[in-house]
Amino acid sequence: MTTRYQAPRGTQDVLPDMQPYWQAVSDAIREVTRLHGFRRIDTPAFEYAGVFEKGSGDTTDIVEKEMYAFEDRGGDKLALTPEGTPAICRAYLEHGMASWPQPVRLYTTHQMFRYDRPQKGRYRQHTQFDCEILGSTDPLVDAEVIGLLWGLYRMLGISGVSVRLGSLDDIQPRRAYIERLKDYYRPHLGKLSEDSQRRFERNPLRLLDSKDERDLPFKEAAPKLVDQLSPEAQGHHETVLGALQTSGIPVIIDPLLVRGLDYYNRTVFEIVPDADARAQGTIGGGGRYDGLMEILGGPPTPGMGFGSGIERIIIEMQRCGIQLDPGASADVYIVHRAEGSAPAVFALAARLREAGIAAIAGETNKSMKAQMRSANTSAARFAVIIGEDELLAGTGVLKQLSGESEQEAVALSDLPRVIGEKLRG
């Protein structure tokens, strides 16, 4: 029996009716990044695995559970890209971008691969929009990056969402807080999830990031890092918060927000639907990562960025009632059945396309009636009908496919001009 294949679990086909959403997001990304002076970068679909093992952190879910890692035939350990920031930082270092005018503003849309539990809006292969500003410690850069993502959502008609803002302090001051956090959790270790028990020693901050039901009761009473920031981090946090509030962006201070990656310091944020009280449906998020370049072998270089899954963005657009017309597959459908009409039909279709008019020619083995049905279901605005008499006369009958209008015979050579005028009118 022949195997009937399906798309692998955790992947999806983006069918034609959904393409207008993807195009709308792509257009909005180009515009919002242009307004903020970003330039596009594209990195490979796979990297040396160490880029993510070092960059994302070996205690993160991405590296521990989700990364598609493999050894190629040359014996190199590689990984399909699971997230964008370490790859962009690797490119910054490799291509000497530190010598460019700073800060460097980069964005990409990239296929990401994570062996995660598939659910609505979360796929094992998904497309992510990433923005990074590299080479600046300015807190206003943090606010700008958050504002850029907020602006994208506004362009796309997404509403009913808020920014959840937190701070992770700097690495050195954070160590004392981590000891207090461990002291709090130590008596409860036996009641925590297996993941949290494992992370208790290696990365206890991740306990605050857990979504496991067994861990949730202990999170609320845990000591809050945002309440005991170093003076420098506190000033940074207040400047970011003030800038966002001045811009009219709704902000909620989230003392439990740590994000799921090891490289963050100071600002962290997520944008979450207001109805999602437990912040499980994050649309996008990111933060500051001033130590990541050093982890990847480069000089100290501050950075700030975010990632936002395009599939998740489209779900939010639909939640907000944004409906996009899939549009017609062509402007003109050529219906023909005359003996020997194929060369004239092919030439007419070519001239229409050269004039910027999308054209489909009906299939020669179908009747005129069947071709007219295809013309009507194509959503084309016009049909051009070429029968025996029209072929002999060198004309085509131009018919509007919707509404009340008379048919008219037009010379084949004049059809591109006449149809073009009607489309523009």
Coordinates of all heavy atoms in Angstrom, one line a residue, residues 253-311:
I253 N 4.0 46.4 35.4 CA 5.2 45.9 36.0 C 5.0 44.4 36.4 O 4.1 44.1 37.2 CB 5.7 46.7 37.2 CG1 5.9 48.2 36.7 CG2 7.0 46.2 37.8 CD1 7.0 48.3 35.6
D254 N 5.8 43.5 35.9 CA 5.6 42.1 36.2 C 6.9 41.6 37.0 O 7.9 41.4 36.4 CB 5.5 41.3 35.0 CG 5.1 39.8 35.2 OD1 5.3 39.4 36.4 OD2 4.7 39.1 34.3
P255 N 6.8 41.5 38.3 CA 8.0 41.2 39.1 C 8.5 39.7 38.9 O 9.6 39.4 39.3 CB 7.5 41.4 40.6 CG 6.0 41.2 40.5 CD 5.6 41.7 39.2
L256 N 7.6 38.9 38.3 CA 8.0 37.5 38.1 C 8.5 37.2 36.7 O 8.9 36.1 36.3 CB 6.8 36.6 38.3 CG 6.3 36.6 39.8 CD1 5.0 35.7 39.8 CD2 7.3 36.0 40.7
L257 N 8.6 38.3 35.9 CA 9.1 38.1 34.5 C 10.6 37.9 34.4 O 11.3 38.8 34.8 CB 8.6 39.3 33.7 CG 9.0 39.3 32.2 CD1 8.3 38.1 31.5 CD2 8.5 40.6 31.5
V258 N 11.0 36.7 34.0 CA 12.4 36.5 33.8 C 12.8 36.1 32.4 O 13.9 36.0 32.0 CB 13.0 35.4 34.8 CG1 12.8 35.9 36.2 CG2 12.3 34.1 34.6
R259 N 11.8 35.7 31.6 CA 12.0 35.1 30.2 C 12.7 33.8 30.3 O 13.2 33.4 31.4 CB 12.8 36.1 29.3 CG 12.1 37.4 29.1 CD 10.9 37.4 28.2 NE 11.4 37.0 26.8 CZ 10.6 36.5 25.9 NH1 9.3 36.2 26.2 NH2 11.0 36.2 24.7
G260 N 12.9 33.1 29.2 CA 13.4 31.7 29.3 C 14.8 31.6 28.9 O 15.2 30.4 28.6
L261 N 15.6 32.6 28.7 CA 16.9 32.5 28.2 C 17.9 33.1 29.2 O 17.6 34.1 29.9 CB 17.0 33.3 26.9 CG 16.1 32.7 25.8 CD1 16.0 33.6 24.6 CD2 16.7 31.3 25.3
D262 N 19.1 32.5 29.2 CA 20.1 32.9 30.3 C 20.8 34.2 30.0 O 21.4 34.7 31.0 CB 21.2 31.8 30.3 CG 20.6 30.5 31.0 OD1 19.5 30.5 31.4 OD2 21.4 29.5 31.0
Y263 N 20.7 34.7 28.8 CA 21.6 35.9 28.5 C 21.1 37.2 28.9 O 21.7 38.2 28.8 CB 22.0 35.9 27.0 CG 20.9 35.8 26.0 CD1 20.0 36.8 25.9 CD2 20.9 34.7 25.1 CE1 19.0 36.7 24.9 CE2 19.9 34.6 24.2 CZ 19.0 35.6 24.0 OH 18.0 35.5 23.1
Y264 N 19.8 37.3 29.4 CA 19.2 38.6 29.6 C 19.8 39.3 30.9 O 20.1 38.6 31.9 CB 17.7 38.5 29.8 CG 17.0 38.2 28.5 CD1 16.2 37.1 28.4 CD2 17.1 39.1 27.4 CE1 15.5 36.8 27.2 CE2 16.4 38.8 26.3 CZ 15.6 37.7 26.1 OH 14.9 37.5 25.0
N265 N 19.8 40.6 30.9 CA 20.1 41.4 32.1 C 19.3 42.7 32.0 O 18.9 43.1 30.9 CB 21.6 41.7 32.2 CG 22.1 42.7 31.1 OD1 22.0 42.4 30.0 ND2 22.5 43.9 31.6
R266 N 19.0 43.3 33.1 CA 18.2 44.5 33.1 C 16.9 44.3 32.4 O 16.1 43.4 32.8 CB 19.0 45.7 32.6 CG 20.2 46.1 33.4 CD 20.7 47.5 33.2 NE 21.8 47.8 34.1 CZ 22.5 49.0 34.1 NH1 22.1 50.0 33.3 NH2 23.5 49.1 34.9
T267 N 16.5 45.1 31.4 CA 15.2 45.1 30.9 C 14.8 43.7 30.3 O 15.5 43.1 29.5 CB 15.1 46.1 29.8 OG1 15.4 47.4 30.3 CG2 13.7 46.2 29.2
V268 N 13.6 43.2 30.7 CA 13.0 42.1 30.0 C 11.5 42.5 29.8 O 10.9 43.3 30.6 CB 13.0 40.8 30.8 CG1 14.4 40.2 30.7 CG2 12.6 41.0 32.3
F269 N 10.9 42.0 28.8 CA 9.5 42.4 28.5 C 8.8 41.3 27.7 O 9.4 40.6 27.0 CB 9.4 43.8 27.8 CG 9.7 43.7 26.3 CD1 8.6 43.6 25.4 CD2 10.9 43.7 25.8 CE1 8.8 43.5 24.0 CE2 11.2 43.6 24.4 CZ 10.1 43.5 23.5
E270 N 7.5 41.3 27.8 CA 6.6 40.5 27.0 C 5.4 41.3 26.6 O 5.0 42.2 27.4 CB 6.2 39.2 27.7 CG 7.3 38.2 27.9 CD 6.9 37.0 28.6 OE1 5.7 36.9 29.1 OE2 7.7 36.0 28.6
I271 N 4.8 41.1 25.5 CA 3.5 41.7 25.1 C 2.5 40.6 25.1 O 2.6 39.6 24.4 CB 3.6 42.5 23.8 CG1 4.6 43.6 23.9 CG2 2.2 43.0 23.4 CD1 4.8 44.4 22.7
V272 N 1.4 40.8 25.9 CA 0.5 39.7 26.2 C -0.9 40.2 26.1 O -1.2 41.4 26.4 CB 0.7 39.2 27.7 CG1 -0.2 38.1 28.0 CG2 2.2 38.7 27.9
P273 N -1.9 39.4 25.6 CA -3.3 39.8 25.5 C -3.8 40.1 26.9 O -3.5 39.4 27.9 CB -4.0 38.6 24.9 CG -2.9 37.9 24.1 CD -1.7 38.1 24.9
D274 N -4.6 41.2 27.1 CA -5.1 41.6 28.4 C -5.9 40.5 29.0 O -6.0 40.4 30.3 CB -5.9 42.8 28.3 CG -5.1 44.0 27.8 OD1 -3.9 44.0 28.0 OD2 -5.7 45.0 27.3
A275 N -6.6 39.6 28.2 CA -7.4 38.6 28.8 C -6.6 37.4 29.3 O -7.2 36.5 29.9 CB -8.4 38.1 27.7
D276 N -5.3 37.4 29.0 CA -4.5 36.3 29.4 C -3.8 36.6 30.8 O -2.7 37.0 30.9 CB -3.4 36.0 28.4 CG -2.6 34.8 28.6 OD1 -2.9 34.1 29.6 OD2 -1.6 34.5 27.8
A277 N -4.6 36.3 31.8 CA -4.1 36.7 33.2 C -2.8 36.0 33.6 O -2.0 36.6 34.4 CB -5.2 36.4 34.2
R278 N -2.6 34.8 33.1 CA -1.4 34.1 33.5 C -0.3 34.2 32.5 O 0.7 33.6 32.6 CB -1.8 32.6 33.7 CG -2.6 32.4 34.9 CD -3.2 31.0 35.1 NE -2.1 30.0 35.0 CZ -2.4 28.7 35.1 NH1 -3.6 28.3 35.1 NH2 -1.4 27.8 35.1
A279 N -0.5 35.1 31.5 CA 0.6 35.4 30.5 C 1.2 34.2 29.8 O 2.4 34.0 29.6 CB 1.7 36.2 31.2
Q280 N 0.3 33.3 29.4 CA 0.7 32.1 28.7 C 0.7 32.2 27.2 O 1.2 31.4 26.5 CB -0.2 30.9 29.1 CG -0.3 30.7 30.6 CD 0.2 29.3 31.1 OE1 1.0 28.7 30.4 NE2 -0.4 28.8 32.2
G281 N 0.0 33.3 26.7 CA -0.1 33.5 25.3 C 0.7 34.7 24.8 O 0.2 35.5 24.0
T282 N 1.9 34.7 25.2 CA 2.8 35.9 24.8 C 2.9 36.0 23.3 O 3.1 35.0 22.6 CB 4.2 35.7 25.3 OG1 4.1 35.6 26.8 CG2 5.1 36.8 24.9
I283 N 2.7 37.2 22.7 CA 2.8 37.4 21.3 C 4.2 37.7 20.9 O 4.7 37.3 19.9 CB 1.9 38.7 20.9 CG1 0.5 38.6 21.5 CG2 1.8 38.7 19.4 CD1 -0.2 39.9 21.3
G284 N 4.9 38.4 21.8 CA 6.3 38.7 21.5 C 7.0 39.2 22.8 O 6.3 39.6 23.7
G285 N 8.3 39.1 22.8 CA 9.0 39.6 24.0 C 10.5 39.5 23.7 O 11.0 39.0 22.7
G286 N 11.2 40.1 24.7 CA 12.7 40.1 24.6 C 13.3 40.8 25.8 O 12.7 40.9 26.8
G287 N 14.5 41.4 25.5 CA 15.1 42.1 26.6 C 16.6 42.5 26.2 O 17.0 42.3 25.1
R288 N 17.3 43.0 27.3 CA 18.6 43.4 27.1 C 19.6 42.3 27.4 O 19.4 41.5 28.3 CB 18.9 44.6 28.0 CG 20.3 45.1 28.1 CD 20.4 46.5 28.7 NE 19.9 47.5 27.7 CZ 20.6 48.0 26.7 NH1 21.9 47.6 26.5 NH2 20.1 48.9 25.9
Y289 N 20.7 42.2 26.7 CA 21.7 41.1 26.8 C 23.1 41.7 26.7 O 23.8 41.4 25.7 CB 21.4 40.0 25.8 CG 21.2 40.5 24.4 CD1 22.2 40.6 23.5 CD2 19.9 40.8 24.0 CE1 22.0 41.0 22.2 CE2 19.7 41.2 22.7 CZ 20.7 41.3 21.8 OH 20.5 41.8 20.5
D290 N 23.6 42.4 27.7 CA 24.8 43.1 27.6 C 26.1 42.2 27.7 O 27.2 42.6 27.3 CB 24.9 44.2 28.7 CG 23.9 45.3 28.4 OD1 23.4 45.4 27.3 OD2 23.7 46.1 29.4
G291 N 25.9 40.9 28.1 CA 27.0 40.0 28.2 C 27.1 38.9 27.1 O 28.0 38.1 27.2
L292 N 26.1 38.9 26.2 CA 26.1 37.8 25.3 C 27.3 37.8 24.3 O 27.8 36.7 24.0 CB 24.8 37.9 24.5 CG 24.5 36.8 23.4 CD1 24.7 35.4 24.0 CD2 23.2 37.0 22.7
M293 N 27.7 38.9 23.8 CA 28.8 38.9 22.9 C 30.1 38.3 23.5 O 30.8 37.6 22.9 CB 29.1 40.3 22.5 CG 28.1 40.9 21.6 SD 28.0 40.2 19.9 CE 26.9 41.4 19.1
E294 N 30.3 38.6 24.8 CA 31.5 38.0 25.5 C 31.3 36.4 25.6 O 32.3 35.7 25.4 CB 31.6 38.6 26.9 CG 32.1 40.0 26.9 CD 32.1 40.6 28.2 OE1 33.2 40.5 28.9 OE2 31.1 41.2 28.7
I295 N 30.1 36.0 25.8 CA 29.9 34.5 25.9 C 30.2 33.9 24.6 O 30.7 32.7 24.5 CB 28.4 34.2 26.3 CG1 28.1 34.7 27.7 CG2 28.1 32.8 26.1 CD1 26.7 34.6 28.1
L296 N 30.0 34.6 23.5 CA 30.3 34.1 22.1 C 31.7 34.4 21.7 O 32.0 34.1 20.5 CB 29.3 34.7 21.1 CG 27.8 34.2 21.3 CD1 26.9 35.0 20.4 CD2 27.7 32.7 21.2
G297 N 32.5 34.9 22.6 CA 33.9 35.1 22.3 C 34.3 36.4 21.8 O 35.5 36.6 21.3
G298 N 33.4 37.4 21.9 CA 33.7 38.7 21.4 C 34.0 39.7 22.5 O 33.9 39.4 23.7
P299 N 34.2 41.0 22.2 CA 34.4 42.0 23.2 C 33.1 42.4 23.8 O 32.0 42.1 23.2 CB 35.1 43.2 22.4 CG 34.5 43.0 21.0 CD 34.4 41.5 20.8
P300 N 33.1 43.0 25.0 CA 31.9 43.5 25.6 C 31.1 44.4 24.6 O 31.6 45.4 24.1 CB 32.3 44.3 26.8 CG 33.7 43.7 27.2 CD 34.3 43.3 25.8
T301 N 29.9 44.0 24.3 CA 29.0 44.8 23.4 C 27.6 44.7 23.9 O 27.0 43.6 23.8 CB 29.1 44.2 22.0 OG1 30.5 44.1 21.6 CG2 28.4 45.1 21.0
P302 N 27.0 45.8 24.3 CA 25.6 45.7 24.8 C 24.6 45.4 23.7 O 24.9 45.7 22.5 CB 25.4 47.1 25.4 CG 26.4 48.0 24.7 CD 27.6 47.1 24.4
G303 N 23.5 44.9 24.0 CA 22.5 44.6 23.0 C 21.1 44.6 23.6 O 20.9 44.4 24.8
M304 N 20.1 44.8 22.7 CA 18.7 44.8 23.1 C 17.9 44.3 22.0 O 18.1 44.8 20.8 CB 18.3 46.2 23.6 CG 16.8 46.4 23.8 SD 16.2 45.6 25.3 CE 14.4 45.7 25.1
G305 N 17.0 43.4 22.2 CA 16.2 42.9 21.1 C 14.9 42.2 21.5 O 14.6 42.0 22.7
F306 N 14.2 41.6 20.5 CA 13.0 40.9 20.7 C 12.8 39.8 19.6 O 13.4 39.9 18.5 CB 11.8 41.8 20.8 CG 11.4 42.4 19.5 CD1 10.8 41.7 18.5 CD2 11.6 43.8 19.4 CE1 10.5 42.4 17.3 CE2 11.3 44.5 18.2 CZ 10.7 43.7 17.2
G307 N 11.9 38.9 19.9 CA 11.4 38.0 18.9 C 9.9 37.9 19.0 O 9.3 38.0 20.1
S308 N 9.2 37.8 17.8 CA 7.8 37.7 17.8 C 7.4 36.7 16.7 O 7.7 36.9 15.5 CB 7.1 39.1 17.5 OG 5.7 39.0 17.6
G309 N 6.7 35.6 17.0 CA 6.3 34.7 16.1 C 5.2 35.2 15.1 O 4.2 35.7 15.6
I310 N 5.4 35.0 13.8 CA 4.4 35.6 12.9 C 3.1 34.8 13.0 O 2.0 35.4 12.8 CB 5.0 35.6 11.5 CG1 6.1 36.6 11.4 CG2 3.9 35.9 10.4 CD1 6.8 36.8 10.1
E311 N 3.2 33.5 13.2 CA 2.0 32.7 13.3 C 1.1 33.2 14.5 O -0.1 33.3 14.4 CB 2.3 31.2 13.6 CG 2.9 30.5 12.4 CD 4.4 30.7 12.3 OE1 5.0 31.5 13.1 OE2 5.1 30.0 11.4

